[in-house]
Amino acid sequence: MASPGDRFEFAIDRGGTFTDVFARCPGGKVRVLKLLSEDPANYRDAPTEGIRRVLEEECGQSMPRNQPLDTSLIGWIRMGTTVATNALLERKGEKMALLITRGFRDLLHIGNQARPRLFDLEIVTPEVLYEEVIEVEERVVLQRDGCQLPRREAFQTVTGSTGERLEVWTPPDLVRLEADLRRVLSQGIRSLAVVLMHSYTWSSHEVQVGALARRLGFQQVSLSCEVMPMVRIVPRGYTACADAYLTPKIREYLSGFRAGFCQGLQGVRVLFMQSDGGLTPMEKFNGSRAILSGPAGGVVGYAMTSYSQENRQPVIGFDMGGTSTDVSRYAGQYEHVFEATTAGITVQAPQLDINTVAAGGGSRLFFRSGMFVVGPESAGAHPGPACYRKGGPLTVTDANLALGRLLPSFFPRIFGTSEDQPLSSEDALREFRLLTATVNHFLSTQPGASHSEMSVEEVAMGFIRVANEAMCRPIRALTQAKGHDTSHHVLSCFGGAGGQHACAIARALGMRTVFIHKYAGILSAFGMALADVVQEVQEPCCLLYQESSFTELDRRVEELRGRCEEALHGQGFTSSEISTEVFLHLRYERTDCALMCSASGYPGNKESCSTGDFRAAFTDRYRKEFGFTIPERPIVVDDIRVRGTGRTSIDHQSRVEPRGTEPRVERVTQCYFDDGYLDTKVYLLEELSCDHSIPGPAIIIDKNSTILIEPDCHAEITQSGDVRIAVGTGKLRAVGTELDTIQLSIFSHRFMSIAEQMGRILQRTAISTNIKERLDFSCALFGPEGGLVSNAPHIPVHLGAMQQTVQYQIQELGTELQEGDVILSNHPCAGGSHLPDLTVITPVFHPGVPRPVFFVASRGHHADIGGITPGSMPPHSKSLQEEGAVFISFKLVKNGVFQEQALTDALMAPSKFPGSSGTRNLHDNLSDLRAQVAANQKGIQLVGELIDSYRLEVVQAYMGHIQSNAELAVRDMLKEFAHRRRQQTGSLEVESVDHMDDGTPIRLKVLINEEEGSAVFDFSGTGPEVFGNCNAPRAITLSALIYCLRCMVGQDIPLNQGCLTPIGVLIPEGSILQPSRNAAVVGGNVLTSQRVVDVIFKAFEVCAASQGCMNNVTFGNERVGYYETVAGGAGAGPGWHGRGGVHSHMTNTRITDPEILEKRYPVVLQRFSLRPASGGRGCFRGGDGVIRELLFREEVILSVLTERRATQPYGLKGGEPGSSGLNLLVCADGRTLNLGAKTSISVKPGDMFQLQTPGGGGYGSCEQLTPPGPLSKKKKKAESTFAERGSVFEYSRTQEAV
């Protein structure tokens, strides 16, 4: 669809700060323009102003701003915009209401019940988008084989779009609903999201509700069944809310945009970029598909310009802006995700996998407890970096300026309060001198530090290196998570700030090529010009991928393909310009790990659909990403998707002519590198041609970016005028064993990266749902004495326990540990938490050193290891043997040989005890333990590479320095607390006591040494070991203690052995916190750990008690088993209300989506909502608990393991306690039974279990304290304006939610 050559064509990216314009004029001339997105004093709309300027200048005639533009000169306009993203981040969308099935009014408030930041006591979650909730009296339920509920003839049976059969238990009460809708209309709300249970397959009820709402006058009605018909009501509900919240704002913007043109742009083809990288007509652009509209253009831009079809070398896109950096990958196909979270709202829609991390030119620089820290806080546009002359803080931009890598004379004079000054090197250097003095003062007090003072340049260079390492981590994660080698990629750099860092980042990642397009400064806009029009159709499915389903799958594919082609024909595309690609969303049965698979390259055959061999495509990709397949397991089709593309046939190639002369040097400046100041030639990109080659060090200046060519790098100009940089290995920088604060920060990242990459291998190669999908595991690196060096990601109950396990093995086995050995352990006496957590430990040997130089370990939660109940978490266990298989120092691998038979025997050993069984899932146990061994092997490889780069003594020295850094942070916190405490009370001793439901006290006395910053935590007086399973091994108490210390420090610190160095811990033997060797402990891990946290925070008066329980619920029979933990109320604190419906402290598990729960298990979820007024009253209220009602459809054994049923979560400083919990069974015969805190009971079909979880305690009496004022609200808003996103972020978020 070539556009007429005599008209102007515009591609525009309207960003948050700047609007970029790419214009192709008649005759082929290209104009590039950048202007402020908001400049109300001069123009109303930036894209319109950009078009006006180009037309006026190129046509040579005046076009006043206050008059509509003549559209006869315009061929097409393509745009990406952050209007939707900004409205979501800033919560400035349309006022809206949510309509949801009765019983679920708070479902989207609770979400998946996990808190977003593990160590923040003030749990700040993004606010919900709706202002009102209407519960719709309606209910449909999936039919289920084996359902034993009495059959009601009145129930209508229907067939959903997936082929699933459903029963209509309650049709919508439209009369009652109309009254509710009129009430909402009267409040000025005109936008609705409608989200009903199982509407992904049976949409009739939503359609009826939507028709009524439109008839009553609602202007925007977003039905979840239309916005994205995918199973799982929570993300589908968020998506419908986002659509209702954002689409009116987009329409409002589009209406204003049209007003700037004659006849409202009639006759002009206007297309908008969607989150999936495809264009769509302006009238079809909607909120849920618009969130990544701007960044998607950048991905299309680098994919179309950097990727070579000839060598097929994959490309990493690196877009570094002011506040954040976007990282993505392209290897011939766009990489999409189908569920992603932005600003706390999970959206189900195809989106490019763009990973945003908090590191940009405006990221702030800190020196904390001896460590260089970059971000995540940003200076923003106002006041901006220090060099902006507005009193802003030091940032990465200031560091580049201080090193001579940015040249103020090439920047516009738009800085200072009058906005007419140049960038200020003086302001940046002044702030760096102050910071350098702080760094040198710290170094002078450290015995192991280098004695030479650091210069301003060394400090600035240190921050650049730390920032680079921070940006390398997500790139490693993005590639290695899917089995790719990072070093085999090209780094395609764009955005305003990336050119200064590209060479260093590529070198650190082992990449050899950096590509910077000539339009890198506006690549998102250029990408709009190169993109195709996309039409997508998707439907849910519930078929097995097998021969009997192929005919139906082919029929549905052809139907969707026809809809796509019809829509594209309607937009003017011919058949030759249209192509379609078919995707099936596939997963193995009984797993949640679904992959959206195309059959491209897998032609159909007799054993596949006619569309293609999706089985081969799925298994090949599964093996690539996860390292194995499950050939005996059926494959389920969850969704059918067709992506239709209308090719736009725009030629983006342009050639620059060789000049035959040496490139002109604009000037020579001094830039600081590792070797000090070097003469650095400066060139203008517009003056360079394809026969020019530029060795580093050099700077190439473009209109919108600065490109730094580092020493040992070489830049060439391509025939298209782009910059290709060959990256050399660089000179290795000698690092000694003495403390270097810059290297400290870099080693902190490297050590953490080792643990993270181990976790990626474990997740890829494991087979069980617990490890592969719930990510219930931790991986860690330990020193030669077993001291924790780095632990990632952070699962609170694993924090200190793994160190105890490794140290036990060193003491127990000593010289018996040989290269090729791997140890398995889970016993509480050996640092275990509870038996299902199996820890695999591998020693790391180094040539010439007889003993291990490091240890690596991985701990994973196995779904079953035997015992008296399925799931190995019995509520009434009295001894350890009843809880499953026990390992103390079991050699899992001996001399390099996996001991499968001995392991099998040990896993089946519990069956020797009366009433107990061996493991019920041997296959998964064996597979997951092999995966843990593989993860450890990856850790050994990475430790070896680190030693090869720096030498063994250096790596071990920095292990000690990192531990000392954590120690220093804890000592600083204790000194500050002691000083404050002494001034207030004159005492350096604090104490507290709290009780378990059986009356067992947990007593704590803490004596603090203010001078040393140390403390002794003395649990003397704690009650004895209990005849039950609430006994907590010592390792659990240490984990709870590390968690509390990290929360009280209040900033990111390395979580390692150093945290406990200033701490003495006294626990009486034989107590509930240090029980005998064979005591039952499963409840100690999930319940007593919470009470230990409550006691510590009570002693330090940090905050009121949270719910103090994990609310463990298990049910099952011979065919099915299910386990969940349930949220409650969080405690309030000084300045904040407690969050309701959230997990707190030592757990952060996600909860199964209601639709998945009903689809897979014999229950109906009747209610899941907040428990009103259960939070403690006070000046700051405790968070509410939840009410959860499960109606059983079959006979099952129900087990509950809970606490805080007899005691209440305490309030603090006059605040009232939260309500205690309650476990009720409402029997089918009408009786209501109180089940108590811990029980196991057989329930009948029709019985309903009602769980009421505890609320959090309140803080302060209203008479004593003043509620927080506008300042706190402003702070929360500022914190919410940046949101990480992408598959790497989703992985980390899931890992922290187990």
Side-chain angles (χ1 to χ4, degrees):
M1 268 180 64
S3 300
D6 58 347
R7 292 185 181 182
F8 290 85
E9 297 165 344
F10 294 94
I12 303 170
D13 174 31
R14 185 190 186 278
T17 305
F18 291 104
T19 291
D20 299 333
V21 180
F22 171 86
R24 192 159 60 179
C25 309
K29 179 182 177 182
V30 170
R31 288 287 308 274
V32 171
L33 189 66
K34 187 181 283 280
L35 64 161
L36 288 170
S37 294
E38 299 287 344
D39 191 358
N42 292 303
Y43 46 82
R44 186 181 56 81
D45 177 67
T48 307
E49 173 66 10
I51 293 171
R52 189 196 68 79
R53 290 184 189 179
V54 172
L55 293 177
E56 185 175 72
E57 293 169 14
E58 292 299 320
C59 296
Q61 59 189 49
S62 175
M63 296 184 181
R65 288 193 176 107
N66 58 358
Q67 294 182 14
L69 293 174
D70 180 5
T71 56
S72 65
L73 302 171
I74 301 173
W76 49 250
I77 299 171
R78 299 175 176 193
M79 276 181 62
T81 174
T82 58
V83 168
T85 313
N86 292 342
L88 197 58
L89 286 170
E90 298 169 9
R91 294 298 194 261
K92 292 182 177 178
E94 185 76 6
K95 284 177 63 176
M96 59 155 294
L98 168 68
L99 274 66
I100 196 164
T101 301
R102 180 164 297 281
F104 297 94
R105 66 173 297 112
D106 302 308
L107 182 66
L108 299 188
H109 172 94
I110 299 168
N112 63 18
Q113 78 180 8
R115 61 193 186 277
R117 295 176 64 85
L118 205 59
F119 300 106
D120 285 1
L121 296 174
E122 179 185 5
I123 300 173
V124 178
T125 57
E127 296 175 6
V128 293
L129 303 180
Y130 50 83
E131 297 192 11
E132 287 288 331
V133 181
I134 297 175
E135 291 189 277
V136 182
E137 194 71 54
E138 69 84 37
R139 194 62 157 97
V140 296
V141 174
L142 292 169
Q143 278 195 346
R144 182 178 177 85
D145 292 339
C147 177
Q148 298 167 7
L149 289 175
R151 174 81 179 133
R152 299 187 193 176
E153 296 301 324
F155 288 169
Q156 178 189 4
T157 301
V158 296
T159 302
S161 62
T162 60
E164 294 168 292
R165 301 281 289 169
L166 302 97
E167 295 176 353
V168 181
W169 283 15
T170 307
D173 184 344
L174 298 180
V175 174
R176 180 175 176 179
L177 180 60
E178 180 171 345
D180 289 335
L181 288 172
R182 290 188 184 279
R183 174 179 55 80
V184 168
L185 271 174
S186 69
Q187 297 173 24
I189 295 175
R190 298 289 184 272
S191 186
L192 292 180
V194 183
V195 186
L196 304 181
M197 280 287 286
H198 301 297
S199 64
Y200 71 94
T201 183
W202 175 250
S203 61
S204 174
H205 287 184
E206 280 196 5
V207 171
Q208 292 177 54
V209 170
L212 172 62
R214 292 187 180 102
R215 178 172 63 79
L216 292 176
F218 284 91
Q219 296 167 1
Q220 173 66 36
V221 181
S222 298
L223 306 182
S224 75
C225 64
E226 295 175 352
V227 174
M228 180 49 68
M230 293 180 76
V231 68
R232 292 198 298 140
I233 187 174
V234 172
R236 191 175 73 249
Y238 283 140
T239 306
C241 286
D243 195 72
Y245 188 71
L246 299 175
T247 299
K249 285 296 176 184
I250 288 174
R251 287 180 183 157
E252 180 183 313
Y253 173 74
L254 295 180
S255 176
F257 179 63
R258 285 194 190 98
F261 298 85
C262 292
Q263 299 179 332
L265 285 169
Q266 283 187 15
V268 178
R269 189 164 173 73
V270 183
L271 300 170
F272 273 78
M273 177 62 76
Q274 300 184 110
S275 300
D276 63 358
L279 297 165
T280 192
M282 177 167 59
E283 56 274 11
K284 293 188 175 184
F285 191 49
N286 64 46
S288 60
R289 302 277 179 123
I291 292 171
L292 297 186
S293 175
V299 176
V300 174
Y302 84 75
M304 298 292 286
T305 58
S306 305
Y307 181 77
S308 168
Q309 291 289 348
E310 288 74 31
N311 64 29
R312 297 184 177 275
Q313 187 174 7
V315 183
I316 292 291
F318 179 73
D319 178 7
M320 185 176 177
T323 59
S324 61
T325 296
D326 286 345
V327 174
S328 55
R329 181 178 183 271
Y330 183 81
Q333 282 190 322
Y334 294 116
E335 297 190 353
H336 289 103
V337 292
F338 297 87
E339 185 176 303
T341 302
T342 300
I345 302 300
T346 301
V347 173
Q348 281 184 324
Q351 303 173 51
L352 290 170
D353 187 9
I354 300 172
N355 292 270
T356 302
V357 294
S363 292
R364 294 181 60 184
L365 312 181
F366 303 94
F367 184 71
R368 290 175 177 157
S369 300
M371 186 172 287
F372 282 48
V373 179
V374 177
E377 299 89 343
S378 173
H382 300 285
C387 60
Y388 279 20
R389 299 177 182 268
K390 292 182 179 178
L394 278 178
T395 66
V396 172
T397 296
D398 294 302
N400 278 310
L401 185 61
L403 297 173
R405 300 174 175 203
L406 292 177
L407 305 176
S409 59
F410 290 96
F411 281 75
R413 299 172 68 93
I414 58 172
F415 304 100
T417 53
S418 58
E419 299 188 347
D420 59 358
Q421 298 294 306
L423 276 179
S424 173
S425 300
E426 297 81 8
D427 285 7
L429 287 170
R430 183 181 65 249
E431 293 300 317
F432 264 114
R433 290 188 194 102
L434 294 173
L435 184 57
T436 301
T438 301
V439 172
N440 286 326
H441 173 73
F442 171 82
L443 290 174
S444 69
T445 65
Q446 301 303 301
S450 170
H451 294 293
S452 58
E453 287 196 345
M454 295 183 70
S455 66
V456 166
E457 291 84 358
E458 287 172 328
V459 170
M461 187 69 179
F463 279 110
I464 293 295
R465 291 170 59 201
V466 171
N468 290 342
E469 185 61 35
M471 289 182 282
C472 285
R473 277 174 64 184
I475 297 175
R476 290 191 189 102
L478 180 67
T479 50
Q480 293 166 356
K482 298 181 180 178
H484 308 298
D485 188 330
T486 310
S487 65
H488 293 171
H489 292 69
V490 171
L491 188 69
S492 180
C493 183
F494 55 106
Q500 297 133 49
H501 298 259
C503 289
I505 286 174
R507 180 182 288 129
L509 293 169
M511 298 179 180
R512 292 289 168 257
T513 305
V514 171
F515 185 88
I516 302 177
H517 194 270
K518 62 184 175 184
Y519 297 136
I522 60 143
L523 197 64
S524 289
F526 188 55
M528 313 288 174
L530 306 181
D532 291 323
V533 175
V534 168
Q535 177 71 36
E536 287 213 5
V537 186
Q538 182 170 319
E539 283 186 352
C541 184
C542 196
L543 297 172
L544 294 179
Y545 189 81
Q546 58 189 19
E547 187 175 356
S548 59
S549 304
F550 291 160
T551 301
E552 175 64 11
L553 286 171
D554 285 335
R555 183 193 68 77
R556 293 184 63 179
V557 163
E558 287 308 311
E559 179 186 329
L560 297 182
R561 198 198 307 267
R563 285 163 57 185
C564 274
E565 291 173 347
E566 181 182 355
L568 290 169
H569 282 309
Q571 295 178 43
F573 289 95
T574 64
S575 295
S576 63
E577 295 169 330
I578 295 173
S579 61
T580 58
E581 188 171 10
V582 179
F583 297 83
L584 296 185
H585 203 200
L586 303 172
R587 62 179 171 85
Y588 283 119
E589 195 174 47
R590 303 196 310 279
T591 73
D592 286 328
C593 198
L595 299 175
M596 189 69 78
C597 294
S598 163
S600 177
Y602 296 88
N605 54 53
K606 294 179 180 178
E607 298 180 352
S608 75
C609 294
S610 61
T611 312
D613 189 351
F614 285 94
R615 183 188 303 278
F618 172 73
T619 53
D620 283 358
R621 184 169 162 200
Y622 202 94
R623 186 182 295 108
K624 171 76 173 174
E625 292 201 17
F626 304 125
F628 67 95
T629 60
I630 317 175
E632 70 279 4
R633 196 78 69 86
I635 297 172
V636 179
V637 184
D638 276 341
D639 301 278
I640 305 169
R641 169 183 169 230
V642 176
R643 182 178 174 90
T645 302
R647 291 185 298 279
T648 51
S649 304
I650 292 175
D651 179 23
H652 65 87
Q653 296 293 338
S654 61
R655 297 175 64 88
V656 295
E657 296 300 322
R659 301 224 173 141
T661 59
E662 289 296 312
R664 186 181 75 84
V665 178
E666 178 72 13
R667 70 161 74 163
V668 177
T669 188
Q670 290 274 295
C671 275
Y672 189 88
F673 298 96
D674 284 334
D675 289 333
Y677 280 105
L678 298 177
D679 285 343
T680 304
K681 295 178 180 178
V682 180
Y683 303 87
L684 301 182
L685 181 60
E686 62 189 20
E687 296 183 1
L688 299 178
S689 60
C690 61
D691 56 348
H692 288 157
S693 178
I694 299 171
I699 291 176
I700 299 176
I701 301 289
D702 185 20
K703 291 178 181 177
N704 299 309
S705 61
T706 299
I707 303 168
L708 179 70
I709 315 298
E710 296 203 357
D712 199 31
C713 296
H714 203 98
E716 292 182 345
I717 309 303
T718 70
Q719 291 186 338
S720 299
D722 309 317
V723 181
R724 180 181 287 113
I725 305 171
V727 180
T729 56
K731 188 171 73 174
L732 286 177
R733 186 172 180 270
V735 178
T737 57
E738 69 279 359
L739 174 62
D740 178 322
T741 52
I742 300 166
Q743 287 297 145
L744 181 70
S745 300
I746 291 172
F747 268 100
S748 177
H749 281 289
R750 294 298 295 272
F751 286 141
M752 191 63 76
S753 183
I754 289 172
E756 287 173 347
Q757 290 181 66
M758 288 173 63
R760 285 293 191 168
I761 294 294
L762 178 52
Q763 187 255 349
R764 280 185 56 219
T765 54
I767 195 171
S768 71
T769 298
N770 262 4
I771 294 180
K772 175 171 285 300
E773 292 156 20
R774 290 186 63 243
L775 306 185
D776 192 351
F777 64 82
S778 278
C779 296
L781 173 67
F782 304 85
E785 306 304 321
L788 179 64
V789 177
S790 63
N791 187 110
H794 316 296
I795 297 176
V797 82
H798 292 175
L799 285 175
M802 289 176 74
Q803 172 175 300
Q804 298 278 303
T805 306
V806 175
Q807 289 175 338
Y808 180 91
Q809 303 308 323
I810 295 172
Q811 295 163 8
E812 189 73 12
L813 298 177
T815 57
E816 289 183 41
L817 276 173
Q818 302 295 321
E819 193 162 8
D821 290 349
V822 180
I823 308 302
L824 172 63
S825 183
N826 69 344
H827 198 292
C829 77
S833 47
H834 63 167
L835 296 187
D837 280 346
L838 297 183
T839 304
V840 174
I841 304 160
T842 309
V844 182
F845 287 88
H846 187 68
V849 182
R851 292 177 58 95
V853 295
F854 282 94
F855 288 85
V856 289
S858 53
R859 175 170 286 183
H861 184 103
H862 289 240
D864 195 294
I865 57 164
I868 59 175
T869 61
S872 306
M873 293 191 67
H876 285 315
S877 54
K878 301 296 189 294
S879 69
L880 195 66
Q881 286 74 22
E882 294 178 322
E883 296 178 354
V886 176
F887 301 91
I888 297 178
S889 298
F890 181 87
K891 284 203 173 182
L892 180 64
V893 177
K894 188 183 298 183
N895 297 323
V897 179
F898 190 83
Q899 304 295 301
E900 182 168 340
Q901 186 56 54
L903 174 63
T904 300
D905 293 343
L907 286 167
M908 300 308 298
S911 62
K912 298 173 184 176
F913 297 94
S916 192
S917 167
T919 179
R920 301 164 182 87
N921 203 346
L922 178 63
H923 177 263
D924 282 11
N925 294 139
L926 296 175
S927 297
D928 286 353
L929 285 168
R930 286 193 179 96
Q932 289 179 252
V933 172
N936 287 6
Q937 196 59 38
K938 178 67 172 179
I940 292 172
Q941 173 201 330
L942 294 170
V943 170
E945 291 174 2
L946 199 61
I947 291 172
D948 290 343
S949 298
Y950 289 98
R951 295 180 294 127
L952 174 60
E953 56 269 33
V954 172
V955 177
Q956 288 190 330
Y958 273 92
M959 172 201 74
H961 296 326
I962 290 290
Q963 292 170 335
S964 297
N965 177 258
E967 174 189 345
L968 179 65
V970 173
R971 288 190 187 276
D972 287 345
M973 181 273 292
L974 289 172
K975 288 177 182 178
E976 183 182 337
F977 175 83
H979 176 72
R980 191 169 62 247
R981 174 78 177 177
R982 181 170 46 78
Q983 286 189 325
Q984 292 172 351
T985 68
S987 170
L988 293 181
E989 189 175 286
V990 296
E991 58 184 334
S992 65
V993 64
D994 205 340
H995 295 81
M996 304 295 287
D997 277 351
D998 64 1
T1000 300
I1002 296 180
R1003 196 176 300 277
L1004 173 64
K1005 181 182 291 185
V1006 184
L1007 182 61
I1008 304 170
N1009 185 317
E1010 182 178 0
E1011 185 178 346
E1012 293 181 359
S1014 62
V1016 175
F1017 285 67
D1018 185 354
F1019 288 91
S1020 296
T1022 292
E1025 175 184 324
V1026 297
F1027 185 59
N1029 58 27
C1030 282
N1031 302 294
R1034 179 183 177 88
I1036 294 294
T1037 300
L1038 296 181
S1039 295
L1041 183 52
I1042 288 182
Y1043 167 79
C1044 292
L1045 292 171
R1046 167 61 183 84
C1047 290
M1048 290 189 288
V1049 166
Q1051 63 191 39
D1052 285 336
I1053 62 170
L1055 288 165
N1056 57 44
Q1057 174 189 357
C1059 293
L1060 290 180
T1061 300
I1063 306 299
V1065 182
L1066 302 177
I1067 304 176
E1069 285 196 26
S1071 70
I1072 191 175
L1073 301 185
Q1074 192 155 327
S1076 61
R1077 189 179 181 91
N1078 291 314
V1081 297
V1082 68
N1085 183 67
V1086 296
L1087 299 177
T1088 312
S1089 61
Q1090 296 282 53
R1091 193 68 75 259
V1092 174
V1093 172
D1094 286 342
V1095 169
I1096 295 171
F1097 283 152
K1098 186 177 185 181
F1100 283 84
E1101 298 183 339
V1102 172
C1103 60
S1106 294
Q1107 67 161 332
C1109 178
M1110 297 187 191
N1111 300 299
N1112 304 270
V1113 177
T1114 307
F1115 63 80
N1117 53 30
E1118 67 280 355
R1119 297 192 303 110
V1120 69
Y1122 176 73
Y1123 168 67
E1124 69 182 14
T1125 62
V1126 184
W1136 74 83
H1137 300 294
R1139 169 80 176 181
V1142 70
H1143 261 320
S1144 51
H1145 301 325
M1146 298 300 283
T1147 187
N1148 203 27
T1149 54
R1150 296 183 174 195
I1151 199 158
T1152 303
D1153 186 271
E1155 288 178 345
I1156 297 295
L1157 180 70
E1158 295 189 359
K1159 193 179 175 79
R1160 296 186 184 172
Y1161 302 100
V1163 293
V1164 174
L1165 183 62
Q1166 294 190 154
R1167 182 179 180 186
F1168 190 31
S1169 61
L1170 293 177
R1171 183 185 175 197
S1174 56
R1177 293 189 302 174
C1179 181
F1180 301 101
R1181 300 181 308 277
D1184 286 334
V1186 303
I1187 299 177
R1188 188 167 172 87
E1189 295 180 353
L1190 294 171
L1191 175 70
F1192 294 99
R1193 306 177 74 174
E1194 297 178 17
E1195 186 170 345
V1196 297
I1197 300 296
L1198 169 68
S1199 299
V1200 292
L1201 184 58
T1202 62
E1203 271 286 323
R1204 291 290 196 201
R1205 268 48 185 177
T1207 63
Q1208 294 178 263
Y1210 62 79
L1212 209 59
K1213 299 286 188 180
E1216 296 183 9
S1219 298
S1220 55
L1222 185 62
N1223 303 331
L1224 298 177
L1225 184 68
V1226 180
C1227 301
D1229 62 11
R1231 292 177 302 145
T1232 298
L1233 307 178
N1234 185 338
L1235 297 180
K1238 301 168 184 67
T1239 194
S1240 190
I1241 184 173
S1242 176
V1243 295
K1244 307 296 183 186
D1247 289 349
M1248 187 270 289
F1249 172 58
Q1250 184 186 84
L1251 175 71
Q1252 299 183 29
T1253 68
Y1259 187 96
S1261 65
C1262 294
E1263 294 77 25
Q1264 294 173 323
L1265 295 173
T1266 303
L1271 183 62
S1272 67
K1273 293 180 181 177
K1274 186 182 293 185
K1275 176 188 170 192
K1276 286 185 183 179
K1277 182 179 177 182
E1279 288 172 349
S1280 70
T1281 55
F1282 170 77
E1284 291 185 289
R1285 62 173 175 242
S1287 61
V1288 175
F1289 167 64
E1290 296 294 336
Y1291 170 86
S1292 300
R1293 208 168 65 109
T1294 305
Q1295 176 71 76
E1296 291 193 355
V1298 294

